[in-house]
Amino acid sequence: QVHLKESGGDLVQPGGSLRLSCVRSGRIRSVNNMGWYRHGPGGERVFVASIHSDGQIRYAESVKGRFTISWDTDKKVMYLQMNNLKPEDTAAYYCNADVVTFQGSRRTFGGQGTQVTVSS
């Protein structure tokens, strides 16, 4: 079983920075991609950023130039560096991982989320 655990969420003032982490555990064969999503006030799931094994990195237009996604060499820890935070970035942030499991099937797993609140 694959587990994802997010951390790093906090209350921060507008213009501030945070770094979110997502730690993956459990045996797998490979990682296809990992990403960050957030749930807005209405509960809708919104794409934030993703990083892929082929080297591609994608961002939502609303965070381009402010957020940076990365992962460690083993693809066990993924980060989201968030700079120049705005009140509209307030949300619960979730990570997910698209992997090939130890049993050989492709599956997507998600974490429990970490809350980011941007307010003065």
Side-chain angles (χ1 to χ4, degrees), residues 64-118:
K64 277 184 180 178
R66 300 188 298 123
F67 291 10
T68 303
I69 190 171
S70 62
W71 55 15
D72 68 349
T73 305
D74 295 330
K75 301 183 181 68
K76 285 189 175 180
V77 185
M78 177 179 65
Y79 304 98
L80 186 68
Q81 177 67 43
M82 305 187 295
N83 298 327
N84 190 22
L85 282 160
K86 303 176 180 181
E88 51 265 39
D89 295 318
T90 295
Y93 284 71
Y94 299 82
C95 69
N96 74 344
D98 179 347
V99 305
V100 176
T101 67
F102 185 69
Q103 292 76 22
S105 60
R106 183 171 182 174
R107 290 189 58 187
T108 299
F109 296 89
Q112 296 298 308
T114 185
Q115 179 66 36
V116 172
T117 302
V118 184

Side-chain angles (χ1 to χ4, degrees), residues 12-55:
V12 63
Q13 292 187 345
S17 297
L18 284 174
R19 189 175 82 155
L20 305 184
S21 298
C22 171
V23 179
R24 177 181 57 79
S25 60
R27 294 185 70 185
I28 62 168
R29 290 190 185 183
S30 62
V31 176
N32 296 313
N33 61 77
M34 295 181 72
W36 291 95
Y37 292 79
R38 62 190 181 189
H39 283 193
E44 70 277 14
R45 187 170 181 256
V46 178
F47 168 77
V48 176
S50 64
I51 184 166
H52 302 251
S53 291
D54 63 3

